[in-house]
Amino acid sequence: MELSWLMKLRIAAAVATGVVLIGILAWPLAAPPEPAGAASLHTGTISLGDAITLVTLAFLVGLIAYFLSWPYGREIAILAVPSGLAVWAVRSGSMAGLMQINPTLTQRQALFSALKWEPVFWLAIVAAGFAGVLLAQKISRRKVEPVGSDGKSNSRSNMYFNAAVALVGSVLIAQFCITIFARDVRVFDDQLRRLVVAQPAVGQVVFAVLVSFGLAAFVVKAFLNVSYIWPTIASASITAFAITIYVKQDVLQHLVQRHPAAFFSNAVISILPLQMVAFGTLGSIAGYWMAVRYNYWRKHA
């Protein structure tokens, strides 16, 4: 089941909306003061006014993208906002850069404490885009089945159970896969008794996060019949999970004393929250639709 050229044009129009309005025109809202600096709340470049502007813009982008990709806006327009954020994620610096400007143990503890919750902000931007899509759908009065539905009815308790399993499973699957795919120089540390990994290149980060969340979304859709919403939420949870597990005080102190700023105790920690949410969302949506096509192929093969 190949995509028609018209469908491809609609997808391109939705993506272009986010790329132009958020990725290019709104870049000054998050642009770090240094040319190679990281786009992060921790740098203090995004004020409350900037955040409100960005949420509003994301909402409008979702609204506009829906009508540009009509009558499939509900399925396609959700790509717009994460595509715009993905442009920021590529233009941004890296986690290694944040480590370099926070060289002491105390500074890095404060940094990781802030980074734990930063993905929630980026997820809120994505959610604002989704909200714009939903409003546009209501305006157009087009009724569709809920995302992830294949017409089967589930009990409420079953839905809650599947959602919880999907969320936890997506975090674990993505964590495992990113550790494998986000590869750079790895050095075995005798004292930590584990490998420490150098900052991956941005291309490697893009590949690792897209593929990892694509696999997670594929699995939870194929086996639990849930939507891409749960892997998307997982993209905002995995950073906190990795920091909690792999950034203990003694480990962080050892890294500060013995390793350059570009080395991390786990590959997930080397990825900025913006990069994780932007590419995690896009990967989740792609993996979901791959599972839909796989299920269709299984039933009609």
Side-chain angles (χ1 to χ4, degrees):
M1 188 169 62
E2 291 294 325
L3 292 175
S4 67
W5 66 268
L6 188 57
M7 179 66 78
K8 291 176 181 176
L9 282 177
R10 288 179 174 133
I11 293 173
V15 169
T17 304
V19 167
V20 173
L21 295 182
I22 293 180
I24 298 174
L25 298 181
W27 171 242
L29 294 176
E34 306 84 12
S40 169
L41 293 181
H42 186 75
T43 60
T45 55
I46 304 176
S47 66
L48 178 60
D50 293 337
I52 294 172
T53 301
L54 184 53
V55 169
T56 305
L57 181 59
F59 180 84
L60 292 174
V61 164
L63 193 73
I64 295 167
Y66 179 91
F67 291 107
L68 285 177
S69 53
W70 194 87
Y72 302 106
R74 178 66 178 85
E75 295 79 17
I76 297 174
I78 53 175
L79 295 168
V81 172
S83 296
L85 293 180
V87 175
W88 287 10
V90 171
R91 294 181 70 173
S92 171
S94 64
M95 275 292 293
L98 286 179
M99 295 297 105
Q100 288 171 343
I101 61 176
N102 294 275
T104 69
L105 176 62
T106 303
Q107 287 175 317
R108 290 193 186 176
Q109 285 176 321
L111 171 64
F112 282 116
S113 293
L115 291 180
K116 256 189 180 183
W117 309 112
E118 182 177 323
V120 176
F121 170 75
W122 299 113
L123 183 64
I125 304 304
V126 172
F130 282 18
V133 173
L134 292 176
L135 177 62
Q137 179 185 314
K138 189 173 182 180
I139 293 171
S140 69
R141 293 186 174 86
R142 178 172 178 249
K143 293 183 179 179
V144 296
E145 288 187 328
V147 178
S149 171
D150 59 1
K152 297 178 183 177
S153 61
N154 287 320
S155 69
R156 189 174 294 273
S157 59
N158 224 19
M159 289 171 58
Y160 290 154
F161 176 77
N162 285 355
V165 173
L167 179 58
V168 174
S170 295
V171 170
L172 296 177
I173 292 170
Q175 162 78 34
F176 176 76
C177 293
I178 289 173
T179 302
I180 295 173
F181 296 138
R183 287 188 174 271
D184 202 273
V185 175
R186 297 189 177 198
V187 178
F188 185 78
D189 188 292
D190 292 325
Q191 188 170 330
L192 294 179
R193 297 183 182 277
R194 71 174 68 161
L195 290 170
V196 291
V197 59
Q199 173 71 58
V202 65
Q204 196 69 34
V205 169
V206 174
F207 170 78
V209 179
L210 279 174
V211 173
S212 299
F213 279 97
L215 288 172
F218 181 93
V219 169
V220 299
K221 170 58 182 173
F223 292 98
L224 298 173
N225 191 33
V226 297
S227 80
Y228 49 74
I229 297 297
W230 303 108
T232 297
I233 294 174
S235 73
S237 307
I238 188 172
T239 299
F241 174 78
I243 289 174
T244 301
I245 300 298
Y246 297 105
V247 188
K248 307 288 187 183
Q249 181 172 340
D250 56 335
V251 173
L252 190 56
Q253 184 171 5
H254 178 77
L255 289 173
V256 169
Q257 294 173 346
R258 299 293 180 86
H259 292 282
F263 278 84
F264 303 87
S265 54
N266 185 269
V268 173
I269 302 166
S270 68
I271 299 172
L272 290 168
L274 169 60
Q275 295 171 330
M276 191 69 78
V277 173
F279 297 117
T281 301
L282 292 173
S284 296
I285 295 170
Y288 167 84
W289 287 111
M290 286 174 63
V292 169
R293 293 185 66 181
Y294 171 74
N295 288 339
Y296 178 88
W297 171 80
R298 257 196 339 179
K299 289 177 182 177
H300 298 86

